[in-house]
Amino acid sequence: MRLNGLTLVVPTIGLALLLTGCPKRPQTSVASAPAPTPPPPAAAAPPTPAPAPPAPAPPVAAAPPTVAPTPPPAPPKEYVRNDNLKTIRFDFDKSAIRPGDAKILDANAAWLKANPNQLILIEGHCDERGTPEYNLALGDRRTKTATNYLVSQGVDASRITTISYGKERPLCTQQTEACWAQNRRDEFLTKER
């Protein structure tokens, strides 16, 4: 009889544990967007401060100052004028080497090749007509033309430095063609290596 009672008690205890010991899983449902909730009531706005008295108006300027273009830097102090190197001139608004100036550049190139210890600074200049920006670019084209010519005559390009002053350093300030012709130039300065 004992065995009979155990067979009945063991399944009953197991069933009781099973029913009470394992919690039931919650049923899952398809997620959906929550219902819109009304916005929270607006908080009371802080009191606005009293407006400050108006500041005194700044003095009225006639017009904003115009910014002048920055002048080109001065050549390094080591470069000096060299009487052996002659200045070349250009036609109005041109950077081409004129036949007479090609002869001057030939002589300059011969001296430079005979003096390889000299470094060269070519300064490009323009007359006063045209904007500062345009004349700086034109002076730069003129120095590049002279550089290319000297290099084609055998002068080492690594010895040559260029700078454009545009119309900032005129030799002559009269408003005549003869004066303007003097200002359209490349000048050659040197220094020892």
Side-chain angles (χ1 to χ4, degrees), residues 43-155:
T48 54
V60 175
T66 57
V67 178
T70 304
K77 297 283 186 216
E78 304 87 36
Y79 286 100
V80 294
R81 302 248 179 254
N82 187 324
D83 292 335
N84 297 299
L85 301 176
K86 304 301 180 203
T87 299
I88 61 170
R89 310 253 181 235
F90 295 89
D91 289 328
F92 174 70
D93 199 27
K94 302 287 183 207
S95 60
I97 305 294
R98 304 181 302 183
D101 292 300
K103 291 177 183 176
I104 294 171
L105 282 176
D106 289 338
N108 287 354
W111 187 88
L112 290 167
K113 288 191 294 186
N115 295 278
N117 62 331
Q118 295 291 315
L119 299 176
I120 309 108
L121 174 67
I122 304 175
E123 297 179 337
H125 299 272
C126 301
D127 65 34
E128 68 184 40
R129 296 171 289 180
T131 66
E133 296 80 13
Y134 181 81
N135 282 324
L136 284 172
L138 178 58
D140 188 55
R141 287 194 305 274
R142 290 174 174 170
T143 63
K144 284 182 173 50
T145 301
T147 297
N148 292 338
Y149 190 95
L150 292 174
V151 169
S152 74
Q153 296 300 309
V155 177

Side-chain angles (χ1 to χ4, degrees), residues 22-30:
C22 294
K24 200 173 193 184
R25 282 191 188 177
Q27 205 174 28
T28 57
S29 62
V30 176

Side-chain angles (χ1 to χ4, degrees), residues 75-76 79 119-123 159 161-163 187-190:
Y79 286 100
L119 299 176
I120 309 108
L121 174 67
I122 304 175
E123 297 179 337
R159 295 172 56 195
T161 302
T162 63
I163 188 168
E187 294 184 1
F188 302 86
L189 291 78
T190 60

